Amino acid sequence: MSTIAEALAHVRDRIARAAIACSRNPEDIKLIAVSKTKPETAVREAYKAGQRAFGENYAQELAQKADHLTDLADIEWHYIGHLQSNKAKYVARAAHVLHALDSPSLVRELGKRLAQKDENGNMRGPLPVLIEVNVGAEPQKHGVSPANLGPLLEAVDHEPTLKLRGLMTMPPQDLENARRAFEALVSLRNLHGGQTRLPELSMGMSEDLEIAIACGATMVRVGSAIFGARE
């Protein structure tokens, strides 16, 4: 069984090979190590191996890990799971990037939470956010529909505590439909302002990161290929 450091090295090599194969710079693709349900010791091991960006799916787990790992000064927390409005306070406090904004009500709740001062009397800078799009209209998945993407983008643009950064999607499991989902997300990005307005595309996971990179992903979210299967 490989160590986390060895698994990370393998994933980074996959990213580099995939980028080079489509004439892209590997440095333009950020690896998000998905540490949900994994112990803090696993995060520390990955951090020691050079990983800095970590993804969490559960708001309270994110806040707890952020509190317990404050000694890792340059760690970067990405919230990638569905976020309920009543859990927005945890993400507003602990996340550096939110990948899964999907409703105007969540825009309003985050805006309210981010406008509050912390215990030191300071306000956070704008939180970078990506809009999750359910490109395939899959009923079991979260995300705004393509038809409603425009108004949600405008809502984020008008919320001063949020900074619009891009789009995210959760693809189907089979690789051919995953490719179609990635291509659809790129088309939506082009339709709504292109790279200038939406520079980031968060798409691709352990099984399909090569396809995502070929389609233009700037962030890939990899969990099991680094930390092993969920326990």
Side-chain angles (χ1 to χ4, degrees):
M1 184 175 180
S2 64
T3 66
I4 288 174
E6 290 168 340
L8 263 172
H10 179 64
V11 170
R12 289 172 183 147
D13 182 65
R14 286 177 62 190
I15 291 171
R17 289 174 180 272
I20 292 168
C22 59
S23 301
R24 296 184 61 194
N25 184 350
E27 297 298 319
D28 292 338
I29 300 151
K30 180 184 282 286
L31 170 60
I32 314 298
V34 180
S35 49
K36 65 177 181 181
T37 75
K38 298 301 180 180
E40 292 163 15
T41 52
V43 175
R44 288 187 179 278
E45 187 175 342
Y47 181 93
K48 186 177 180 181
Q51 181 62 26
R52 292 296 180 267
F54 292 85
E56 291 288 332
N57 280 57
Y58 307 110
Q60 286 166 283
E61 182 181 357
L62 164 70
Q64 183 178 53
K65 284 178 176 173
D67 286 343
H68 292 176
L69 298 170
T70 54
D71 57 304
L72 307 181
D74 55 348
I75 198 167
E76 189 176 283
W77 293 108
H78 292 243
Y79 189 77
I80 62 175
H82 175 64
L83 181 60
Q84 298 175 326
S85 292
N86 64 346
K87 301 291 179 64
K89 59 184 178 181
Y90 299 109
V91 170
R93 174 168 63 86
H96 295 101
V97 184
L98 169 63
H99 289 233
L101 199 156
D102 62 1
S103 70
S105 62
L106 189 53
V107 171
R108 293 191 293 270
E109 184 64 23
L110 284 167
K112 181 175 72 174
R113 295 293 181 179
L114 288 162
Q116 297 174 355
K117 295 181 179 179
D118 64 19
E119 61 272 14
N120 298 316
N122 300 316
M123 289 179 61
R124 288 193 59 179
L127 175 66
V129 298
L130 289 80
I131 306 297
E132 181 176 4
V133 187
N134 187 346
V135 294
E138 297 177 81
Q140 75 277 20
K141 291 182 178 177
H142 298 286
V144 67
S145 69
N148 292 325
L149 176 57
L152 185 53
L153 291 170
E154 291 182 11
V156 174
D157 281 336
H158 287 90
E159 175 48 62
T161 65
L162 301 177
K163 182 179 181 181
L164 184 62
R165 293 296 298 159
L167 305 177
M168 182 269 253
T169 197
M170 293 287 293
Q173 290 188 338
D174 65 285
L175 297 184
E176 189 52 44
N177 282 323
R179 182 185 297 276
R180 293 193 184 99
F182 299 150
E183 291 172 345
L185 195 70
V186 173
S187 295
L188 285 169
R189 192 261 298 272
N190 294 340
L191 185 65
H192 290 280
Q195 288 179 284
T196 301
R197 187 185 189 194
L198 301 166
E200 304 290 357
L201 290 175
S202 173
M203 55 189 198
M205 297 184 288
S206 293
E207 299 81 8
D208 55 23
L209 68 84
E210 287 87 358
I211 296 172
I213 289 169
C215 291
T218 63
M219 297 178 174
V220 292
R221 311 179 305 270
V222 179
S224 59
I226 296 172
F227 296 107
R230 188 191 303 185
E231 298 173 359

